mmCIF file with all atom_site columns, all heavy atoms in Angstrom:
data_model
loop_
_atom_site.group_PDB
_atom_site.id
_atom_site.type_symbol
_atom_site.label_atom_id
_atom_site.label_alt_id
_atom_site.label_comp_id
_atom_site.label_asym_id
_atom_site.label_entity_id
_atom_site.label_seq_id
_atom_site.pdbx_PDB_ins_code
_atom_site.Cartn_x
_atom_site.Cartn_y
_atom_site.Cartn_z
_atom_site.occupancy
_atom_site.B_iso_or_equiv
_atom_site.pdbx_formal_charge
_atom_site.auth_seq_id
_atom_site.auth_comp_id
_atom_site.auth_asym_id
_atom_site.auth_atom_id
_atom_site.pdbx_PDB_model_num
ATOM   1  N  N   . ASP A 1 13  ? -27.639 -0.193 6.481  1.00 98.00 ? 13  ASP A N   1
ATOM   2  C  CA  . ASP A 1 13  ? -26.207 -0.337 6.202  1.00 98.00 ? 13  ASP A CA  1
ATOM   3  C  C   . ASP A 1 13  ? -25.444 0.927  6.608  1.00 98.00 ? 13  ASP A C   1
ATOM   4  O  O   . ASP A 1 13  ? -24.360 0.850  7.205  1.00 98.00 ? 13  ASP A O   1
ATOM   5  C  CB  . ASP A 1 13  ? -26.007 -0.645 4.708  1.00 98.00 ? 13  ASP A CB  1
ATOM   6  C  CG  . ASP A 1 13  ? -24.590 -1.081 4.372  1.00 98.00 ? 13  ASP A CG  1
ATOM   7  O  OD1 . ASP A 1 13  ? -23.872 -1.578 5.269  1.00 98.00 ? 13  ASP A OD1 1
ATOM   8  O  OD2 . ASP A 1 13  ? -24.196 -0.945 3.195  1.00 98.00 ? 13  ASP A OD2 1
ATOM   9  N  N   . ASP A 1 72  ? -20.425 3.453  3.261  1.00 98.00 ? 72  ASP A N   1
ATOM   10 C  CA  . ASP A 1 72  ? -21.642 3.243  2.469  1.00 98.00 ? 72  ASP A CA  1
ATOM   11 C  C   . ASP A 1 72  ? -21.996 4.427  1.566  1.00 98.00 ? 72  ASP A C   1
ATOM   12 O  O   . ASP A 1 72  ? -23.128 4.512  1.106  1.00 98.00 ? 72  ASP A O   1
ATOM   13 C  CB  . ASP A 1 72  ? -22.818 2.915  3.401  1.00 98.00 ? 72  ASP A CB  1
ATOM   14 C  CG  . ASP A 1 72  ? -23.950 2.207  2.667  1.00 98.00 ? 72  ASP A CG  1
ATOM   15 O  OD1 . ASP A 1 72  ? -23.648 1.408  1.756  1.00 98.00 ? 72  ASP A OD1 1
ATOM   16 O  OD2 . ASP A 1 72  ? -25.129 2.478  2.980  1.00 98.00 ? 72  ASP A OD2 1
ATOM   17 N  N   . HIS A 1 94  ? -19.514 0.334  -1.286 1.00 98.00 ? 94  HIS A N   1
ATOM   18 C  CA  . HIS A 1 94  ? -19.786 -0.616 -2.368 1.00 98.00 ? 94  HIS A CA  1
ATOM   19 C  C   . HIS A 1 94  ? -20.543 0.051  -3.516 1.00 98.00 ? 94  HIS A C   1
ATOM   20 O  O   . HIS A 1 94  ? -21.183 -0.642 -4.309 1.00 98.00 ? 94  HIS A O   1
ATOM   21 C  CB  . HIS A 1 94  ? -20.548 -1.849 -1.844 1.00 98.00 ? 94  HIS A CB  1
ATOM   22 C  CG  . HIS A 1 94  ? -21.924 -1.552 -1.320 1.00 98.00 ? 94  HIS A CG  1
ATOM   23 N  ND1 . HIS A 1 94  ? -23.029 -2.239 -1.750 1.00 98.00 ? 94  HIS A ND1 1
ATOM   24 C  CD2 . HIS A 1 94  ? -22.361 -0.663 -0.410 1.00 98.00 ? 94  HIS A CD2 1
ATOM   25 C  CE1 . HIS A 1 94  ? -24.107 -1.784 -1.099 1.00 98.00 ? 94  HIS A CE1 1
ATOM   26 N  NE2 . HIS A 1 94  ? -23.718 -0.824 -0.284 1.00 98.00 ? 94  HIS A NE2 1
ATOM   27 N  N   . HIS A 1 95  ? -20.454 1.381  -3.587 1.00 97.00 ? 95  HIS A N   1
ATOM   28 C  CA  . HIS A 1 95  ? -21.096 2.116  -4.680 1.00 97.00 ? 95  HIS A CA  1
ATOM   29 C  C   . HIS A 1 95  ? -20.058 2.534  -5.719 1.00 97.00 ? 95  HIS A C   1
ATOM   30 O  O   . HIS A 1 95  ? -18.863 2.404  -5.515 1.00 97.00 ? 95  HIS A O   1
ATOM   31 C  CB  . HIS A 1 95  ? -21.805 3.348  -4.131 1.00 97.00 ? 95  HIS A CB  1
ATOM   32 C  CG  . HIS A 1 95  ? -22.938 3.018  -3.216 1.00 97.00 ? 95  HIS A CG  1
ATOM   33 N  ND1 . HIS A 1 95  ? -22.760 2.828  -1.864 1.00 97.00 ? 95  HIS A ND1 1
ATOM   34 C  CD2 . HIS A 1 95  ? -24.245 2.803  -3.454 1.00 97.00 ? 95  HIS A CD2 1
ATOM   35 C  CE1 . HIS A 1 95  ? -23.926 2.529  -1.306 1.00 97.00 ? 95  HIS A CE1 1
ATOM   36 N  NE2 . HIS A 1 95  ? -24.851 2.496  -2.253 1.00 97.00 ? 95  HIS A NE2 1
ATOM   37 N  N   . THR A 1 116 ? -21.960 -2.732 2.404  1.00 98.00 ? 116 THR A N   1
ATOM   38 C  CA  . THR A 1 116 ? -20.746 -2.309 3.098  1.00 98.00 ? 116 THR A CA  1
ATOM   39 C  C   . THR A 1 116 ? -20.427 -3.263 4.253  1.00 98.00 ? 116 THR A C   1
ATOM   40 O  O   . THR A 1 116 ? -19.252 -3.531 4.546  1.00 98.00 ? 116 THR A O   1
ATOM   41 C  CB  . THR A 1 116 ? -20.900 -0.870 3.629  1.00 98.00 ? 116 THR A CB  1
ATOM   42 O  OG1 . THR A 1 116 ? -21.205 -0.013 2.538  1.00 98.00 ? 116 THR A OG1 1
ATOM   43 C  CG2 . THR A 1 116 ? -19.618 -0.382 4.294  1.00 98.00 ? 116 THR A CG2 1
ATOM   44 N  N   . ASP A 1 146 ? -29.567 -4.681 2.798  1.00 96.00 ? 146 ASP A N   1
ATOM   45 C  CA  . ASP A 1 146 ? -29.160 -4.203 1.463  1.00 96.00 ? 146 ASP A CA  1
ATOM   46 C  C   . ASP A 1 146 ? -29.482 -5.207 0.363  1.00 96.00 ? 146 ASP A C   1
ATOM   47 O  O   . ASP A 1 146 ? -29.785 -4.818 -0.767 1.00 96.00 ? 146 ASP A O   1
ATOM   48 C  CB  . ASP A 1 146 ? -27.648 -3.917 1.435  1.00 96.00 ? 146 ASP A CB  1
ATOM   49 C  CG  . ASP A 1 146 ? -27.344 -2.449 1.697  1.00 96.00 ? 146 ASP A CG  1
ATOM   50 O  OD1 . ASP A 1 146 ? -28.246 -1.723 2.159  1.00 96.00 ? 146 ASP A OD1 1
ATOM   51 O  OD2 . ASP A 1 146 ? -26.203 -2.018 1.443  1.00 96.00 ? 146 ASP A OD2 1
HETATM 52 MN MN1 . MN  C 2 .   ? -25.128 -0.133 1.412  1.00 58.13 ? 1   MN  C MN1 1
#
Side-chain angles (χ1 to χ4, degrees):
Chain A
D13 191 24
D72 201 35
H94 65 128
H95 295 88
T116 303
D146 265 14

